[in-house]
């Protein structure tokens, strides 16, 4: 059996499981999220070490602050608000349709596919997964082939909700086959060029898609700005996670009257940052 057939069978098993319980109560959703949260915390150090291995060198700070803490915070937020999210919302039908009543009721979609990237392999895999679980869905997630060590820990963590989630690994060919499946919703994080391919593949099955794509992110610095702070913010944002952030600044638009002074400050600050890095190395 090839990988594509494995994906198809896994999807069918999740759809069958979903049909047996298409609208799980809030208590069950919270229980799944709490198990997931506990597994993440229990494997915190393993995640840190795995990310350092996959990235060759990755600061513990980056993994904790940008990957693990946002994930745990998001899961706890979902647990606090699931009941409110599930509550039907009353709407008016208009006097023409009196005395009819109208309300919006939020229901799960079914099986959600998630294609996770490599730059934040924990947060950008588990945050959409937790959101899908909170909404009452089953999940099939395709992890990045560029983070095998993190993926190994991820598999252990997701055993805590193994009845609701199937993990897929593989290269671009597997990702292509994954995006062609008849999910009830597909979530992709990555580049704009690959996002277009995912969107086109999902369209063949009329699968609704959520795309979180990278792009060109400008910064605007006006004459009345605090230039010293702006320079530090630019360097921090551009260097965080080695610049592999969806909204990392790509260029700066500077008001002409402060252009020369601003460029001088930026160059000096960049030089200082390089010297500090060299001191850490040696």
């Amino acid at each position: 059996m090839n990988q594509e057939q494995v994906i198809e069978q896994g999807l069918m098993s999740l759809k069958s499981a979903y049909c047996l319980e298409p609208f799980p109560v809030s208590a069950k959703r919270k229980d799944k999220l709490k198990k997931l949260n506990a597994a993440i915390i229990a494997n915190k150090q393993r995640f840190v070490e795995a990310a350092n291995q996959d990235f060759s060198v990755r600061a513990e700070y980056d993994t904790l602050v940008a990957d693990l803490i946002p994930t745990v915070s998001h899961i706890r937020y979902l647990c606090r608000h699931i009941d409110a999210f599930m509550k039907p919302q009353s709407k008016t039908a208009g006097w023409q349709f009196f005395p009819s009543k109208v309300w919006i009721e939020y229901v799960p979609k079914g099986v959600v596919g998630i294609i996770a990237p490599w730059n934040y392999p924990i947060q950008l895999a588990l945050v959409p997964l937790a959101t899908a679980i909170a909404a009452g869905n089953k999940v099939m997630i395709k992890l990045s082939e560029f983070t095998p060590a993190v993926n190994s820990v991820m598999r252990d963590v997701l055993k805590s909700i193994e009845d609701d989630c199937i993990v897929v690994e593989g290269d671009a060919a597997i990702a292509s086959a994954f995006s062609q499946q008849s999910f009830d919703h597909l979530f992709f994080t990555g580049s704009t060029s690959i996002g277009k391919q995912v969107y086109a593949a999902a369209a063949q099955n009329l699968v609704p898609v959520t795309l979180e794509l990278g792009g060109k992110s400008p910064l605007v610095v006006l004459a009345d700005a605090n230039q010293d702070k702006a320079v530090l913010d630019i360097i921090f944002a551009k260097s965080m996670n080695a610049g592999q952030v969806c909204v990392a600044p790509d260029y700066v638009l500077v008001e002409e009257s402060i252009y020369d002074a601003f460029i001088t400050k930026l160059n000096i600050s960049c030089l200082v940052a390089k010297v500090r890095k060299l001191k850490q190395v040696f």
Side-chain angles (χ1 to χ4, degrees):
M1 185 183 299
N2 60 39
Q3 187 71 1
E4 187 172 349
Q5 291 173 323
V6 172
I7 294 173
E8 291 174 354
Q9 287 197 2
L11 178 57
M12 290 303 103
S13 68
L14 286 174
K15 287 196 171 188
S16 297
Y18 170 76
C19 289
L20 293 175
E21 190 181 19
F23 195 81
V25 298
S26 64
K28 286 191 174 182
R29 303 183 195 191
K30 291 177 185 177
D31 182 61
K32 295 171 185 177
L33 291 176
K34 288 176 181 177
K35 288 179 179 178
L36 176 61
N37 192 58
I40 294 170
I41 293 173
N43 287 276
K44 178 189 71 173
Q45 192 57 38
R46 288 185 63 202
F47 269 132
V48 169
E49 293 169 0
N52 185 59
Q53 180 180 336
D54 283 334
F55 284 74
S56 296
V57 177
R58 195 193 202 205
E60 181 177 2
Y61 176 88
D62 276 344
T63 301
L64 289 176
V65 173
D67 256 324
L68 290 168
I69 291 176
T71 301
V72 169
S73 298
H74 183 73
I75 292 173
R76 291 175 176 172
Y77 175 86
L78 291 172
C79 287
R80 290 196 302 270
H81 295 280
I82 282 178
D83 292 319
F85 293 156
M86 294 175 65
K87 186 178 180 180
Q89 293 185 3
S90 297
K91 298 293 180 180
T92 177
W95 63 269
Q96 302 96 324
F97 298 99
F98 181 84
S100 62
K101 295 182 179 180
V102 177
W103 66 91
I104 298 174
E105 186 168 347
Y106 299 95
V107 299
K109 285 193 166 186
V111 180
V112 176
I114 299 171
I115 302 177
W118 62 268
N119 61 328
Y120 285 105
I122 303 167
Q123 179 201 155
L124 295 180
L126 294 179
V127 165
L129 182 145
T131 305
I133 295 295
N137 300 290
K138 305 293 186 183
V139 176
M140 179 177 282
I141 183 167
K142 194 275 176 189
L143 302 176
S144 172
E145 66 271 30
F146 298 113
T147 54
V150 168
N151 294 356
S152 179
V153 182
M154 190 76 72
R155 280 187 173 275
D156 290 341
V157 166
L158 293 179
K159 287 178 182 177
S160 61
I161 54 169
E162 59 186 356
D163 293 336
D164 299 276
C165 178
I166 290 178
V167 178
V168 175
E169 291 185 75
D171 58 14
I174 300 303
S176 177
F178 188 93
S179 62
Q180 295 173 38
Q181 302 303 310
S182 55
F183 294 108
D184 298 294
H185 196 94
L186 182 60
F187 188 97
F188 170 81
T189 303
S191 69
T192 301
S193 59
I194 302 300
K196 291 178 180 179
Q197 297 176 33
V198 170
Y199 210 165
Q204 302 305 309
N205 292 310
L206 298 179
V207 176
V209 181
T210 298
L211 300 174
E212 185 202 352
L213 308 177
K216 292 298 179 184
S217 305
L219 283 167
V220 180
V221 182
L222 302 180
D224 60 350
N226 182 331
Q227 293 185 42
D228 293 327
K229 184 177 186 305
V231 165
L232 291 177
D233 288 346
I234 290 168
I235 293 174
F236 175 80
K238 189 61 178 178
S239 60
M240 185 176 183
N241 201 40
Q244 296 300 321
V245 185
C246 297
V247 292
D250 289 284
Y251 59 98
V252 184
L253 301 175
V254 184
E255 193 164 347
E256 188 173 4
S257 62
I258 62 167
Y259 177 82
D260 291 332
F262 180 81
I263 294 301
T264 299
K265 290 177 181 290
L266 185 60
N267 286 335
I268 292 173
S269 295
C270 287
L271 180 61
V272 170
K274 289 179 181 179
V275 170
R276 287 177 177 172
K277 185 171 292 187
L278 286 171
K279 285 183 178 179
Q280 291 174 354
V281 172
F282 294 103

